[in-house]
Amino acid sequence: MLRIGCHLSSSKGFLHMGEEAVSIGANTFQFFTRNPRGSRAKQLDLQDVRAYLDYAGAHGIGRIVAHAPYTLNPCSGDPKVREFARLTFADDLERMEYLPGAVYNFHPGSHVGQGAEKGIELIADLLNEVLRPELHTKVLLETMAGKGTEVGGRFEELAGIIARVERKECMGVCLDTCHVYDAGYDIVGDLDGVLAEFDRVIGLERLQAVHVNDSKNPFQSHKDRHERIGEGSIGLEALYRVVHHPLLADLPFCLETPNELDGYAREIQMLRG
Ligand code: FE
Ligand code: FE
Ligand code: ZN
């Protein structure tokens, strides 16, 4: 069965997110590990986590996606910014141990003029520091739109990061439909070709999650503005083909479209078909 859900606010805890997911017909969801702009995470409420895990088991919610704050920049030119990214990442991974099977997705970062090669090196350095042997969580690099100096707009850059990571068994990729389309991968005209390219450069076995978003901007715009499903340049038909593609079966699909819960419920229904 199609595993689909959306981004939910974690402010009321895990059990609440589980209940919200079920209420909109979702069987997975994504949440920020802390305020998306960074800052401190509140203490994990283990009772809430336990209640959630029971609830998720009973309601068929599985393979949820944690999203790192998007201000985290592992390849900043400023050592203080990199140190903040490392501490945040390490702390998040420790908490993730309480959510067995959940994956941790992050934006590789922006090299801010140092060049993609240097960016790739710094990102891999951070991963080699935080992926300690006793940790179990899969860490996902998100495919990016290639806005500004973002690293990860090309599959080759993600492959370059993975190649430098020692604990490769912990590494995966999350494909964002808006981002790859904005980056110049034509998932509308040639989805099979894009997946073949992903397989050739990264390996499809690394693909662990998908962000399902339409795009406000045209193909190859390098913009990264999400649109509601069917209201953007990608369109419902192409996104329907993504979530039902046989090579992507069993992956968690998460909507990150500009919606409230009722809008998400409609989009989930549309995409289930
Ligand atoms: Fe993201
Ligand atoms: Fe995304
Ligand atoms: Zn985005």
Side-chain angles (χ1 to χ4, degrees):
M1 171 142 101
L2 179 58
R3 188 160 295 291
I4 188 165
C6 65
H7 189 92
L8 294 173
S9 162
S10 54
S11 63
K12 290 185 185 149
F14 284 96
L15 180 59
H16 186 81
M17 286 192 283
E19 289 168 347
E20 267 187 345
V22 167
S23 79
I24 57 173
N27 50 2
T28 184
F29 60 88
Q30 176 177 271
F31 64 97
F32 282 125
T33 53
R34 59 188 74 213
N35 178 308
R37 298 225 146 267
S39 80
R40 291 186 87 98
K42 35 174 216 231
Q43 197 70 18
L44 251 201
D45 178 348
L46 292 182
Q47 214 174 323
D48 172 50
V49 171
R50 251 175 262 128
Y52 161 73
L53 290 173
D54 283 347
Y55 183 87
H59 291 83
I61 300 175
R63 307 189 74 183
I64 58 171
V65 181
H67 197 307
Y70 47 71
T71 47
L72 184 144
N73 189 4
C75 58
S76 165
D78 181 345
K80 279 199 216 92
V81 175
R82 292 203 303 272
E83 174 67 359
F84 172 77
R86 191 179 64 79
L87 292 172
T88 303
F89 211 116
D91 183 51
D92 277 356
L93 285 185
E94 232 162 87
R95 300 147 153 278
M96 289 296 293
E97 291 292 303
Y98 294 96
L99 293 166
V103 292
Y104 182 72
N105 172 68
F106 76 109
H107 296 182
S110 294
H111 65 69
V112 292
Q114 305 172 92
E117 260 316 297
K118 182 70 188 169
I120 288 166
E121 223 179 277
L122 289 169
I123 296 159
D125 287 350
L126 177 135
L127 287 165
N128 283 328
E129 281 185 68
V130 297
L131 288 174
R132 298 201 321 270
E134 67 272 23
L135 299 174
H136 302 87
T137 303
K138 275 237 180 190
V139 166
L140 311 188
L141 300 159
E142 183 164 349
T143 61
M144 303 308 293
K147 180 178 53 164
T149 65
E150 264 174 8
V151 178
R154 305 296 309 165
F155 295 161
E156 285 79 2
E157 294 174 350
L158 301 179
I161 296 167
I162 295 168
R164 285 172 168 82
V165 173
E166 284 147 31
R167 289 196 66 200
K168 290 190 176 46
E169 74 278 12
C170 296
M171 296 303 300
V173 172
C174 171
L175 184 140
D176 185 306
T177 56
C178 167
H179 298 177
V180 291
Y181 193 64
D182 284 13
Y185 291 98
D186 187 8
I187 54 168
V188 177
D190 187 16
L191 176 58
D192 286 333
V194 172
L195 293 179
E197 176 71 358
F198 188 103
D199 192 36
R200 186 183 70 78
V201 177
I202 300 175
L204 262 181
E205 70 284 354
R206 295 269 179 216
L207 186 51
Q208 299 284 324
V210 178
H211 286 164
V212 187
N213 303 307
D214 214 325
S215 174
K216 278 194 200 294
N217 292 289
F219 180 60
Q220 223 161 7
S221 58
H222 300 291
K223 282 284 208 304
D224 186 6
R225 300 273 317 277
H226 302 185
E227 181 54 283
R228 294 197 175 106
I229 304 304
E231 296 180 23
S233 57
I234 302 176
L236 173 60
E237 239 182 88
L239 292 169
Y240 186 91
R241 282 198 296 270
V242 170
V243 304
H244 293 282
H245 198 287
L247 287 177
L248 310 183
D250 301 331
L251 296 182
F253 293 93
C254 288
L255 297 157
E256 301 175 307
T257 46
N259 274 303
E260 301 295 327
L261 278 184
D262 56 337
Y264 280 132
R266 268 196 305 279
E267 292 188 345
I268 288 168
Q269 208 177 7
M270 268 175 1
L271 287 168
R272 281 195 193 281

